[in-house]
C-alpha cells in the first residue's frame, strides 16, 4: 500500500495511506488530506489508483501542484516523488511499485508524449530520431475525439470533450470511474466504490473496458452517453 509522508517547515507532521479509492487533497475538511492554509484550494489535487499505478491530478487549483519541483497537471507517481502543495511537502513512498511501466502506464505516457510532439515545432530528424518518431506515431491516440454527453431529465444535456488523457466521473467516496485515452481508443475503468459503474446496463466489473459510440454509462448519480467526433 502506498504511503504519503507530509512535511511542513522541515518537520514531519503526519502520514496517510492510499487504498483502492481516490484520495483527495485540499483545504476543506472532507478531503482525505486536509491542508487548511493559504494557497491551498478547496479541492486542490486528487490521487487516483488505476491498476498498479497511482495517478496524481491537479484539480485546476489556483496555485498549482508541483512534483519534484515541476508543475504538473497529471503525473504517474514514482517511489520517492515529492509533491509540493503551497509549500507542504508530500513524499510518495511505494516499495511495491511494479518495475517498468505497466500497460496502462505505457499508454498514458505515449499519449502525453504524442500530444507534446504535436505542439512542438518541427525539427530535422536523424536516422535514430526518425525511427523513434515512427514508433511514437504508431502509439498516438485515436484521431477521433471522445465526447461524454451528460443526460439529465431535469436539465438539457451537456457535453464534455475528452481532451485529456484521463477524465474522472462519479461521486468520490461512493462510486468513481475513469475514462482514459489509449492509442487504439477510449477505455473506462472502475476505481472506487463497492459497486462498479454500469456499462450498457451491466456491471462494469474491475477490468478496463473499451468504449464504443453510443455506449451508456451509469456512474454516481449521472447517466452518460459516449460519442466520437
Amino acid at each position: 500500500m502506498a504511503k504519503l509522508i507530509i512535511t511542513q517547515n522541515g518537520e514531519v507532521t503526519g502520514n496517510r495511506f492510499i487504498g483502492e479509492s481516490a484520495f483527495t487533497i485540499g483545504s476543506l475538511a472532507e478531503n482525505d488530506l486536509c491542508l487548511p492554509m493559504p494557497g491551498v484550494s478547496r479541492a486542490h489535487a486528487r490521487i487516483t489508483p488505476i491498476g498498479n499505478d497511482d495517478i496524481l491530478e491537479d484539480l485546476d487549483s489556483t496555485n498549482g501542484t508541483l512534483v519534484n519541483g515541476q508543475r504538473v497537471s497529471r503525473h504517474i507517481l514514482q517511489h520517492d516523488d515529492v509533491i509540493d502543495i503551497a509549500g507542504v511537502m508530500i513524499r510518495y513512498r511505494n516499495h511495491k511499485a511494479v518495475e517498468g511501466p505497466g500497460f496502462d502506464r505505457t499508454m498514458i505516457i505515449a499519449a502525453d508524449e504524442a500530444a507534446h510532439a504535436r505542439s512542438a515545432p518541427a525539427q530535422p530528424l536523424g536516422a535514430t530520431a526518425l525511427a523513434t518518431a515512427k514508433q511514437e506515431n504508431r502509439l498516438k491516440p485515436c484521431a477521433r475525439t471522445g465526447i461524454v454527453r451528460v443526460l439529465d431529465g431535469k436539465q438539457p444535456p451537456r457535453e464534455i470533450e475528452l481532451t485529456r488523457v484521463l477524465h474522472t466521473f462519479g461521486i468520490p467516496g461512493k462510486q468513481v470511474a475513469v475514462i482514459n485515452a489509449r492509442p487504439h481508443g477510449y477505455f473506462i475503468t472502475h476505481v472506487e466504490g463497492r459497486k462498479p459503474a454500469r456499462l450498457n446496463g451491466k456491471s462494469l466489473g474491475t477490468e478496463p473496458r473499451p468504449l464504443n459510440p453510443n455506449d451508456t454509462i451509469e456512474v454516481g448519480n449521472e447517466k452518460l452517453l459516449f460519442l466520437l467526433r
Side-chain angles (χ1 to χ4, degrees):
M1 181 179 292
K3 181 179 181 180
L4 302 176
I5 301 173
I6 300 96
T7 302
Q8 294 178 254
N9 300 319
E11 296 185 4
V12 175
T13 59
N15 58 73
R16 300 287 190 280
F17 289 96
I18 301 173
E20 297 179 354
S21 302
F23 184 97
T24 58
I25 304 171
S27 62
L28 294 180
E30 56 260 34
N31 286 289
D32 297 295
L33 175 56
C34 177
L35 301 175
M37 59 190 63
V40 180
S41 298
R42 292 183 296 176
H44 197 106
R46 175 174 55 226
I47 299 174
T48 304
I50 297 183
N52 294 316
D53 294 312
D54 292 310
I55 300 176
L56 171 70
E57 293 181 86
D58 181 82
L59 301 178
D60 296 323
S61 64
T62 301
N63 294 302
T65 301
L66 281 68
V67 176
N68 303 328
Q70 301 294 319
R71 186 162 181 164
V72 300
S73 59
R74 188 178 306 102
H75 176 79
I76 301 172
L77 290 166
Q78 307 295 304
H79 177 65
D80 264 344
D81 273 352
V82 177
I83 305 165
D84 180 352
I85 294 180
V88 178
M89 302 301 173
I90 306 167
R91 185 175 294 275
Y92 174 82
R93 305 300 301 274
N94 187 2
H95 291 286
K96 295 183 179 180
V98 177
E99 294 184 1
F103 179 75
D104 282 343
R105 183 186 298 176
T106 303
M107 297 302 100
I108 293 166
I109 291 172
D112 280 341
E113 288 179 346
H116 175 73
R118 288 195 298 272
S119 63
Q123 299 290 337
L125 294 176
T128 301
L130 181 60
T132 301
K134 288 180 178 179
Q135 175 65 19
E136 288 179 351
N137 188 55
R138 289 197 295 270
L139 293 175
K140 67 183 179 181
C142 56
R144 300 177 68 187
T145 301
I147 303 288
V148 166
R149 183 174 294 165
V150 182
L151 306 176
D152 186 340
K154 299 179 182 178
Q155 298 180 0
R158 58 187 177 90
E159 292 188 347
I160 300 171
E161 191 172 1
L162 303 179
T163 55
R164 303 195 308 267
V165 177
L166 291 173
H167 284 78
T168 304
F169 297 91
I171 302 174
K174 183 177 179 181
Q175 188 181 61
V176 175
V178 166
I179 294 178
N180 72 289
R182 296 180 179 177
H184 52 292
Y186 289 86
F187 283 71
I188 183 169
T189 307
H190 166 75
V191 295
E192 183 176 5
R194 295 180 62 184
K195 292 184 178 180
R198 298 180 70 82
L199 178 63
N200 297 326
K202 297 181 180 180
S203 175
L204 180 61
T206 58
E207 297 297 322
R209 297 279 300 278
L211 286 172
N212 298 303
N214 297 315
D215 277 351
T216 58
I217 303 160
E218 297 170 66
V219 57
N221 293 329
E222 293 182 321
K223 185 172 182 179
L224 314 174
L225 178 66
F226 176 76
L227 303 167
L228 282 177
R229 280 186 188 158

